[in-house]
Short mmCIF file of all heavy atoms in Angstrom, two decimals:
data_model
loop_
_atom_site.label_atom_id
_atom_site.label_comp_id
_atom_site.label_asym_id
_atom_site.label_seq_id
_atom_site.Cartn_x
_atom_site.Cartn_y
_atom_site.Cartn_z
N MET A 1 3.77 0.30 -3.15
CA MET A 1 3.33 -0.62 -2.08
C MET A 1 1.97 -1.22 -2.42
O MET A 1 1.26 -0.73 -3.30
CB MET A 1 3.25 0.13 -0.75
CG MET A 1 2.27 1.28 -0.75
SD MET A 1 2.40 2.26 0.76
CE MET A 1 1.51 3.72 0.26
N TYR A 2 1.63 -2.27 -1.71
CA TYR A 2 0.30 -2.85 -1.82
C TYR A 2 -0.66 -2.05 -0.95
O TYR A 2 -0.29 -1.59 0.13
CB TYR A 2 0.28 -4.31 -1.35
CG TYR A 2 0.91 -5.26 -2.32
CD1 TYR A 2 2.07 -5.94 -1.99
CD2 TYR A 2 0.34 -5.49 -3.57
CE1 TYR A 2 2.66 -6.82 -2.88
CE2 TYR A 2 0.92 -6.37 -4.47
CZ TYR A 2 2.07 -7.03 -4.12
OH TYR A 2 2.64 -7.89 -5.00
N PHE A 3 -1.88 -1.91 -1.43
CA PHE A 3 -2.92 -1.21 -0.68
C PHE A 3 -3.94 -2.25 -0.23
O PHE A 3 -4.58 -2.91 -1.05
CB PHE A 3 -3.61 -0.17 -1.57
CG PHE A 3 -4.67 0.62 -0.86
CD1 PHE A 3 -4.34 1.77 -0.18
CD2 PHE A 3 -6.00 0.21 -0.89
CE1 PHE A 3 -5.32 2.51 0.48
CE2 PHE A 3 -6.98 0.94 -0.24
CZ PHE A 3 -6.64 2.09 0.45
N ARG A 4 -4.03 -2.43 1.08
CA ARG A 4 -5.01 -3.35 1.65
C ARG A 4 -5.69 -2.64 2.82
O ARG A 4 -5.09 -1.79 3.49
CB ARG A 4 -4.33 -4.62 2.15
CG ARG A 4 -3.80 -5.48 1.04
CD ARG A 4 -3.30 -6.82 1.60
NE ARG A 4 -2.91 -7.71 0.53
CZ ARG A 4 -1.66 -7.89 0.11
NH1 ARG A 4 -0.68 -7.22 0.67
NH2 ARG A 4 -1.40 -8.73 -0.86
N LYS A 5 -6.93 -3.03 3.07
CA LYS A 5 -7.68 -2.45 4.19
C LYS A 5 -7.00 -2.78 5.52
O LYS A 5 -6.40 -3.83 5.69
CB LYS A 5 -9.11 -2.98 4.20
CG LYS A 5 -9.92 -2.47 3.04
CD LYS A 5 -11.34 -2.95 3.10
CE LYS A 5 -12.07 -2.37 1.91
NZ LYS A 5 -13.48 -2.71 1.89
N ALA A 6 -7.12 -1.82 6.44
CA ALA A 6 -6.62 -1.96 7.81
C ALA A 6 -5.11 -2.23 7.85
O ALA A 6 -4.63 -3.03 8.65
CB ALA A 6 -7.38 -3.06 8.55
N THR A 7 -4.35 -1.54 6.99
CA THR A 7 -2.90 -1.66 6.97
C THR A 7 -2.28 -0.26 7.01
O THR A 7 -2.98 0.73 6.77
CB THR A 7 -2.41 -2.38 5.70
OG1 THR A 7 -2.74 -1.57 4.56
CG2 THR A 7 -3.03 -3.77 5.56
N PRO A 8 -0.98 -0.18 7.27
CA PRO A 8 -0.32 1.13 7.22
C PRO A 8 -0.47 1.82 5.85
O PRO A 8 -0.57 3.05 5.79
CB PRO A 8 1.13 0.80 7.53
CG PRO A 8 1.07 -0.42 8.37
CD PRO A 8 -0.08 -1.23 7.79
N SER A 9 -0.49 1.05 4.77
CA SER A 9 -0.63 1.68 3.45
C SER A 9 -1.99 2.39 3.33
O SER A 9 -2.07 3.49 2.80
CB SER A 9 -0.45 0.67 2.31
OG SER A 9 -1.45 -0.32 2.35
N GLN A 10 -3.04 1.78 3.84
CA GLN A 10 -4.34 2.44 3.82
C GLN A 10 -4.32 3.71 4.67
O GLN A 10 -4.83 4.75 4.26
CB GLN A 10 -5.45 1.50 4.30
CG GLN A 10 -6.82 2.17 4.22
CD GLN A 10 -7.94 1.35 4.80
OE1 GLN A 10 -7.76 0.67 5.81
NE2 GLN A 10 -9.10 1.42 4.18
N SER A 11 -3.71 3.63 5.83
CA SER A 11 -3.62 4.80 6.71
C SER A 11 -2.88 5.94 6.02
O SER A 11 -3.31 7.10 6.11
CB SER A 11 -2.90 4.44 8.02
OG SER A 11 -3.64 3.47 8.72
N LEU A 12 -1.77 5.62 5.35
CA LEU A 12 -1.01 6.66 4.63
C LEU A 12 -1.83 7.31 3.53
O LEU A 12 -1.91 8.54 3.45
CB LEU A 12 0.24 6.05 4.00
CG LEU A 12 1.48 5.93 4.84
CD1 LEU A 12 2.56 5.15 4.08
CD2 LEU A 12 2.00 7.29 5.24
N ILE A 13 -2.44 6.49 2.69
CA ILE A 13 -3.20 7.04 1.55
C ILE A 13 -4.41 7.83 2.05
O ILE A 13 -4.70 8.91 1.53
CB ILE A 13 -3.63 5.91 0.58
CG1 ILE A 13 -2.41 5.21 -0.02
CG2 ILE A 13 -4.57 6.44 -0.50
CD1 ILE A 13 -1.52 6.08 -0.89
N HIS A 14 -5.09 7.35 3.05
CA HIS A 14 -6.26 8.08 3.58
C HIS A 14 -5.85 9.39 4.24
O HIS A 14 -6.55 10.39 4.12
CB HIS A 14 -7.06 7.20 4.52
CG HIS A 14 -7.89 6.19 3.79
ND1 HIS A 14 -8.90 5.48 4.37
CD2 HIS A 14 -7.87 5.77 2.50
CE1 HIS A 14 -9.46 4.68 3.49
NE2 HIS A 14 -8.84 4.83 2.35
N ALA A 15 -4.73 9.39 4.94
CA ALA A 15 -4.24 10.65 5.53
C ALA A 15 -3.91 11.66 4.43
O ALA A 15 -4.21 12.85 4.55
CB ALA A 15 -3.02 10.39 6.41
N LEU A 16 -3.32 11.18 3.35
CA LEU A 16 -2.99 12.04 2.21
C LEU A 16 -4.25 12.59 1.55
O LEU A 16 -4.36 13.79 1.30
CB LEU A 16 -2.16 11.24 1.19
CG LEU A 16 -1.91 11.90 -0.17
CD1 LEU A 16 -1.05 13.15 0.00
CD2 LEU A 16 -1.25 10.91 -1.11
N LYS A 17 -5.22 11.73 1.29
CA LYS A 17 -6.41 12.12 0.54
C LYS A 17 -7.46 12.85 1.38
O LYS A 17 -8.08 13.79 0.89
CB LYS A 17 -7.09 10.89 -0.08
CG LYS A 17 -6.33 10.28 -1.22
CD LYS A 17 -6.99 9.03 -1.73
CE LYS A 17 -8.19 9.34 -2.59
NZ LYS A 17 -8.62 8.18 -3.39
N TYR A 18 -7.66 12.42 2.60
CA TYR A 18 -8.82 12.90 3.36
C TYR A 18 -8.49 13.71 4.60
O TYR A 18 -9.37 14.29 5.20
CB TYR A 18 -9.69 11.71 3.77
CG TYR A 18 -10.07 10.82 2.61
CD1 TYR A 18 -9.69 9.48 2.58
CD2 TYR A 18 -10.78 11.33 1.52
CE1 TYR A 18 -10.04 8.66 1.51
CE2 TYR A 18 -11.13 10.51 0.45
CZ TYR A 18 -10.75 9.18 0.45
OH TYR A 18 -11.08 8.39 -0.61
N ARG A 19 -7.22 13.75 4.99
CA ARG A 19 -6.88 14.48 6.21
C ARG A 19 -5.86 15.60 5.97
O ARG A 19 -5.19 16.04 6.91
CB ARG A 19 -6.40 13.50 7.29
CG ARG A 19 -7.54 12.60 7.78
CD ARG A 19 -7.22 11.84 9.04
NE ARG A 19 -6.32 10.72 8.88
CZ ARG A 19 -6.65 9.53 8.38
NH1 ARG A 19 -7.86 9.30 7.97
NH2 ARG A 19 -5.75 8.57 8.30
N GLY A 20 -5.72 16.01 4.72
CA GLY A 20 -4.91 17.18 4.41
C GLY A 20 -3.42 17.03 4.58
O GLY A 20 -2.70 18.03 4.64
N GLN A 21 -2.91 15.82 4.64
CA GLN A 21 -1.48 15.63 4.87
C GLN A 21 -0.74 15.47 3.54
O GLN A 21 -0.23 14.39 3.22
CB GLN A 21 -1.27 14.45 5.81
CG GLN A 21 -1.86 14.72 7.18
CD GLN A 21 -1.56 13.63 8.18
OE1 GLN A 21 -0.60 12.89 8.03
NE2 GLN A 21 -2.37 13.54 9.20
N GLU A 22 -0.67 16.58 2.80
CA GLU A 22 -0.02 16.58 1.48
C GLU A 22 1.43 16.13 1.52
O GLU A 22 1.94 15.58 0.54
CB GLU A 22 -0.06 17.99 0.89
CG GLU A 22 -1.40 18.40 0.36
CD GLU A 22 -1.34 19.79 -0.24
OE1 GLU A 22 -0.95 19.90 -1.42
OE2 GLU A 22 -1.66 20.76 0.48
N ALA A 23 2.12 16.36 2.62
CA ALA A 23 3.54 16.01 2.73
C ALA A 23 3.78 14.51 2.53
O ALA A 23 4.88 14.10 2.18
CB ALA A 23 4.10 16.47 4.07
N ILE A 24 2.76 13.70 2.74
CA ILE A 24 2.91 12.26 2.53
C ILE A 24 3.25 11.97 1.06
O ILE A 24 4.02 11.06 0.76
CB ILE A 24 1.63 11.50 2.97
CG1 ILE A 24 1.51 11.58 4.49
CG2 ILE A 24 1.64 10.05 2.48
CD1 ILE A 24 0.20 11.05 5.04
N GLY A 25 2.71 12.77 0.14
CA GLY A 25 3.02 12.61 -1.29
C GLY A 25 4.51 12.78 -1.56
O GLY A 25 5.12 12.01 -2.31
N THR A 26 5.11 13.78 -0.95
CA THR A 26 6.55 14.01 -1.09
C THR A 26 7.34 12.87 -0.45
O THR A 26 8.30 12.37 -1.03
CB THR A 26 6.94 15.36 -0.45
OG1 THR A 26 6.19 16.39 -1.08
CG2 THR A 26 8.42 15.63 -0.60
N TRP A 27 6.93 12.47 0.74
CA TRP A 27 7.60 11.38 1.46
C TRP A 27 7.59 10.10 0.63
O TRP A 27 8.62 9.45 0.47
CB TRP A 27 6.90 11.19 2.80
CG TRP A 27 7.54 10.18 3.69
CD1 TRP A 27 8.61 10.37 4.52
CD2 TRP A 27 7.15 8.81 3.84
NE1 TRP A 27 8.90 9.18 5.19
CE2 TRP A 27 8.01 8.22 4.79
CE3 TRP A 27 6.14 8.02 3.27
CZ2 TRP A 27 7.91 6.89 5.18
CZ3 TRP A 27 6.03 6.70 3.67
CH2 TRP A 27 6.91 6.14 4.60
N LEU A 28 6.44 9.75 0.06
CA LEU A 28 6.35 8.55 -0.78
C LEU A 28 7.18 8.69 -2.05
O LEU A 28 7.85 7.75 -2.47
CB LEU A 28 4.89 8.25 -1.13
CG LEU A 28 4.05 7.65 -0.01
CD1 LEU A 28 2.58 7.63 -0.39
CD2 LEU A 28 4.54 6.25 0.34
N ALA A 29 7.14 9.86 -2.66
CA ALA A 29 7.90 10.08 -3.90
C ALA A 29 9.39 9.87 -3.68
O ALA A 29 10.07 9.28 -4.53
CB ALA A 29 7.64 11.47 -4.45
N LYS A 30 9.91 10.32 -2.55
CA LYS A 30 11.33 10.15 -2.28
C LYS A 30 11.71 8.68 -2.19
O LYS A 30 12.78 8.27 -2.62
CB LYS A 30 11.72 10.89 -1.00
CG LYS A 30 11.73 12.40 -1.20
CD LYS A 30 12.06 13.13 0.08
CE LYS A 30 12.04 14.64 -0.16
NZ LYS A 30 12.29 15.39 1.07
N ARG A 31 10.82 7.87 -1.68
CA ARG A 31 11.07 6.43 -1.62
C ARG A 31 10.96 5.78 -3.00
O ARG A 31 11.74 4.91 -3.36
CB ARG A 31 10.10 5.76 -0.64
CG ARG A 31 10.63 5.84 0.77
CD ARG A 31 9.63 6.37 1.76
NE ARG A 31 10.30 6.71 3.02
CZ ARG A 31 10.80 7.92 3.28
NH1 ARG A 31 10.76 8.88 2.39
NH2 ARG A 31 11.38 8.17 4.43
N VAL A 32 10.00 6.25 -3.76
CA VAL A 32 9.81 5.73 -5.13
C VAL A 32 11.01 6.08 -6.00
O VAL A 32 11.47 5.26 -6.78
CB VAL A 32 8.49 6.26 -5.74
CG1 VAL A 32 8.41 5.97 -7.21
CG2 VAL A 32 7.30 5.66 -5.00
N VAL A 33 11.51 7.29 -5.87
CA VAL A 33 12.66 7.74 -6.67
C VAL A 33 13.85 6.80 -6.49
O VAL A 33 14.50 6.41 -7.45
CB VAL A 33 13.04 9.20 -6.31
CG1 VAL A 33 14.44 9.53 -6.77
CG2 VAL A 33 12.02 10.16 -6.90
N LYS A 34 14.10 6.42 -5.26
CA LYS A 34 15.21 5.49 -5.00
C LYS A 34 15.00 4.17 -5.74
O LYS A 34 15.90 3.66 -6.39
CB LYS A 34 15.31 5.25 -3.48
CG LYS A 34 16.51 4.47 -3.06
CD LYS A 34 16.59 4.41 -1.55
CE LYS A 34 17.85 3.68 -1.13
NZ LYS A 34 17.98 3.57 0.30
N GLN A 35 13.80 3.65 -5.69
CA GLN A 35 13.44 2.41 -6.38
C GLN A 35 13.58 2.56 -7.90
O GLN A 35 14.12 1.70 -8.58
CB GLN A 35 12.01 2.03 -6.00
CG GLN A 35 11.48 0.79 -6.65
CD GLN A 35 10.01 0.56 -6.28
OE1 GLN A 35 9.28 1.49 -5.95
NE2 GLN A 35 9.59 -0.69 -6.32
N LEU A 36 13.11 3.68 -8.43
CA LEU A 36 13.16 3.91 -9.88
C LEU A 36 14.61 3.99 -10.37
O LEU A 36 14.94 3.47 -11.43
CB LEU A 36 12.42 5.20 -10.25
CG LEU A 36 10.95 5.27 -9.93
CD1 LEU A 36 10.37 6.60 -10.39
CD2 LEU A 36 10.18 4.11 -10.52
N GLN A 37 15.45 4.67 -9.61
CA GLN A 37 16.85 4.79 -9.99
C GLN A 37 17.56 3.45 -9.96
O GLN A 37 18.35 3.15 -10.85
CB GLN A 37 17.54 5.83 -9.10
CG GLN A 37 17.05 7.23 -9.38
CD GLN A 37 17.54 8.26 -8.38
OE1 GLN A 37 17.82 7.95 -7.22
NE2 GLN A 37 17.61 9.50 -8.81
N GLU A 38 17.27 2.64 -8.95
CA GLU A 38 17.89 1.31 -8.86
C GLU A 38 17.47 0.41 -10.02
O GLU A 38 18.25 -0.39 -10.51
CB GLU A 38 17.50 0.65 -7.53
CG GLU A 38 18.16 1.26 -6.32
CD GLU A 38 17.60 0.73 -5.00
OE1 GLU A 38 16.68 -0.14 -5.02
OE2 GLU A 38 18.07 1.19 -3.95
N GLN A 39 16.22 0.55 -10.47
CA GLN A 39 15.68 -0.31 -11.52
C GLN A 39 15.74 0.33 -12.91
O GLN A 39 15.29 -0.26 -13.88
CB GLN A 39 14.25 -0.70 -11.18
CG GLN A 39 14.15 -1.49 -9.91
CD GLN A 39 12.70 -1.76 -9.50
OE1 GLN A 39 11.76 -1.48 -10.21
NE2 GLN A 39 12.54 -2.33 -8.32
N HIS A 40 16.26 1.55 -13.00
CA HIS A 40 16.37 2.28 -14.27
C HIS A 40 15.02 2.39 -14.97
O HIS A 40 14.92 2.20 -16.19
CB HIS A 40 17.41 1.64 -15.19
CG HIS A 40 18.76 1.55 -14.56
ND1 HIS A 40 19.57 2.64 -14.41
CD2 HIS A 40 19.41 0.49 -13.99
CE1 HIS A 40 20.68 2.28 -13.80
NE2 HIS A 40 20.62 0.98 -13.53
N LEU A 41 13.98 2.72 -14.21
CA LEU A 41 12.64 2.87 -14.78
C LEU A 41 12.40 4.31 -15.24
O LEU A 41 12.93 5.25 -14.65
CB LEU A 41 11.58 2.48 -13.75
CG LEU A 41 11.49 1.01 -13.40
CD1 LEU A 41 10.52 0.79 -12.25
CD2 LEU A 41 11.07 0.20 -14.61
N PHE A 42 11.60 4.44 -16.26
CA PHE A 42 11.09 5.72 -16.75
C PHE A 42 12.16 6.67 -17.27
O PHE A 42 11.97 7.88 -17.32
CB PHE A 42 10.24 6.42 -15.68
CG PHE A 42 9.20 5.54 -15.05
CD1 PHE A 42 9.11 5.43 -13.67
CD2 PHE A 42 8.32 4.80 -15.81
CE1 PHE A 42 8.16 4.61 -13.07
CE2 PHE A 42 7.36 3.98 -15.23
CZ PHE A 42 7.28 3.89 -13.86
N GLU A 43 13.28 6.14 -17.70
CA GLU A 43 14.38 6.99 -18.16
C GLU A 43 14.08 7.70 -19.47
O GLU A 43 14.67 8.73 -19.76
CB GLU A 43 15.67 6.17 -18.27
CG GLU A 43 16.18 5.75 -16.89
CD GLU A 43 17.43 4.91 -16.93
OE1 GLU A 43 17.69 4.23 -17.96
OE2 GLU A 43 18.17 4.91 -15.93
N SER A 44 13.15 7.18 -20.27
CA SER A 44 12.84 7.83 -21.56
C SER A 44 11.58 8.70 -21.50
O SER A 44 11.13 9.22 -22.51
CB SER A 44 12.67 6.77 -22.66
OG SER A 44 11.51 5.98 -22.43
N VAL A 45 11.04 8.89 -20.31
CA VAL A 45 9.84 9.72 -20.14
C VAL A 45 10.16 11.16 -20.51
O VAL A 45 11.24 11.67 -20.19
CB VAL A 45 9.35 9.61 -18.67
CG1 VAL A 45 8.38 10.71 -18.32
CG2 VAL A 45 8.72 8.25 -18.44
N THR A 46 9.21 11.82 -21.18
CA THR A 46 9.40 13.23 -21.58
C THR A 46 8.56 14.20 -20.75
O THR A 46 8.79 15.40 -20.79
CB THR A 46 9.09 13.42 -23.07
OG1 THR A 46 7.77 12.97 -23.34
CG2 THR A 46 10.09 12.66 -23.93
#
């Protein structure tokens, strides 16, 4: 996602980094995984 001030993306990242909400990392990863699989990205990563 794009990161801009005063947006939901800023709220998510700040909650993850500064308010102890580690679960946001897992939540975001699950969304990224879907995107990566659709676009066949990082398939040769070791």
